[in-house]
Amino acid sequence: MTNLKLLWRRRKTLIVAFMAATGSFLLGVTWPMNLRASQSLQPIQAQALAVSQSQEQPPMSNINKFSEAIAHRVDLSQNALTQLQAIRFQSAVPSQFQGTTIRHAKLDSQHKAIALTFDDGPWPKTTTQILDILKENNIKATFFWVGKYLQNSPEIGKQVAEAGHAIGNHTWNHQYLQYNEDGAARELDRTSSLIEDLTGIQTSMFRPPGGILNNGLTAYAQKKNYAVVMWSADSFDWRTLTESLIDNVMRQANSGGIVLMHDGGGNRARTVKALPDIIARLRNEGYSFVTVPELLQMQEQDLQKQETAQK
């Protein structure tokens, strides 16, 4: 029995020794391998970190380009705002004339100015032809638009505004009807909203179709502080021949005058043909050409000078 116990103890000792040796062997082999693997990964990890940092921090040249692009966009936005403000000013009537009816401006003897106005547009072909003539002669005019025609020809309307001409409201449908206030509001408000949406212009000028002042449209316009712009010289270009058209304008022309012509609402070839001669003859008589708002601003300045002189 004693021998058996001794044999078992020796066997147990050998097993423990074997297991210890095996563990030591495995540790000696796998630990250096893990260490080598860890060391070999360090350059790769460092390289990946460098790449990541380079992506997170763009070169200064890229930053400068980005800053320049932002500055350029800011400049463009500021320029667009300046142009929009200038366009709005071109159609702005001095406050003292808002809510009144105007047929001509009262100017002193130092001024000989006249305003050319065109109704019933914008109109395909004719309006652009008139724009070309005005541009060739360096003239700004005033256009009174019909809303439904502006809706049909929005790009032409934008060309008129971008060229620096003044814009007024000529109702949506151009009908000779009697209107209650709601009906008048639809005719004027819808047209002014479209003008502003397309051009940025908040017009304060209204011209009643046919010059009718007592059918509800003018009453509503004055309530909304529009200047109701009539005319002092009627070309009758919708019914007369070219030579008669020119004679009509020249016979009625005066300083501070407002000339009525048409660029839309029908065939206006006679107006297009007569316009260069009208401009040339008026220039020969010493007239300068301004928009209706400019004409009223000139009157306002003359009145201010007179008031200052009287004090």
Side-chain angles (χ1 to χ4, degrees), residues 264-276:
N267 185 348
R268 305 306 179 196
R270 287 193 293 261
T271 306
V272 173
K273 184 177 180 180
L275 185 57

Side-chain angles (χ1 to χ4, degrees), residues 279-300:
I279 292 170
R281 294 190 190 191
L282 288 171
R283 273 200 169 131
N284 287 338
E285 293 192 7
Y287 285 96
S288 60
F289 299 92
V290 295
T291 65
V292 170
E294 288 173 333
L295 202 63
L296 298 177
Q297 289 160 12
M298 292 169 69
Q299 178 177 333
E300 182 182 49

Side-chain angles (χ1 to χ4, degrees), residues 41 51 53 57 65 84 132 145 188 217-218 247 254 265 280 284 295:
L41 285 173
V51 171
Q53 289 176 340
Q57 299 178 356
K65 289 179 181 179
L84 178 58
D132 290 341
W145 283 342
L188 273 73
L217 293 172
T218 295
D247 290 342
N254 56 59
N284 287 338
L295 202 63

Side-chain angles (χ1 to χ4, degrees), residues 5 50 55 61 74 90 105 135-137 139 151 153 179 182 196 203 235 282 289 304 308 311:
K5 289 183 178 178
Q55 290 175 344
S61 60
V74 170
Q90 287 159 359
K135 183 178 180 180
E136 289 170 4
N137 287 276
I139 290 173
Q151 187 178 54
S153 302
Y179 292 90
D182 289 341
E196 184 174 4
T203 185
S235 67
L282 288 171
F289 299 92
Q304 290 173 349
T308 301
K311 292 181 180 179

Side-chain angles (χ1 to χ4, degrees), residues 14 48 77 79 84 125 131 134 139 144 150 170-171 183 215 234 240 260 277 291 304:
L14 289 172
S77 297
N79 290 337
L84 178 58
K125 188 176 180 179
L131 283 178
L134 295 173
I139 290 173
F144 289 91
L150 177 59
H170 200 38
T171 73
N215 64 348
D234 191 344
T240 60
L260 170 63
D277 285 337
T291 65
Q304 290 173 349

Side-chain angles (χ1 to χ4, degrees), residues 17-30:
F18 176 78
M19 291 178 65
T22 302
S24 178
F25 172 79
L26 291 174
L27 184 62
V29 172
T30 57

Side-chain angles (χ1 to χ4, degrees), residues 235-241 248 268 270:
S235 67
F236 291 101
D237 58 350
W238 52 276
R239 72 179 188 186
T240 60
L241 298 176
N248 290 337
R268 305 306 179 196
R270 287 193 293 261

Side-chain angles (χ1 to χ4, degrees), residues 87-117:
I87 288 173
R88 285 181 171 175
F89 176 76
Q90 287 159 359
S91 294
V93 172
S95 59
Q96 67 176 353
F97 298 105
Q98 294 176 7
T100 67
T101 300
I102 301 154
R103 297 183 183 276
H104 63 88
K106 299 175 183 178
L107 304 182
D108 63 27
S109 58
Q110 295 180 349
H111 296 124
K112 195 172 184 181
I114 198 165
L116 302 181
T117 69

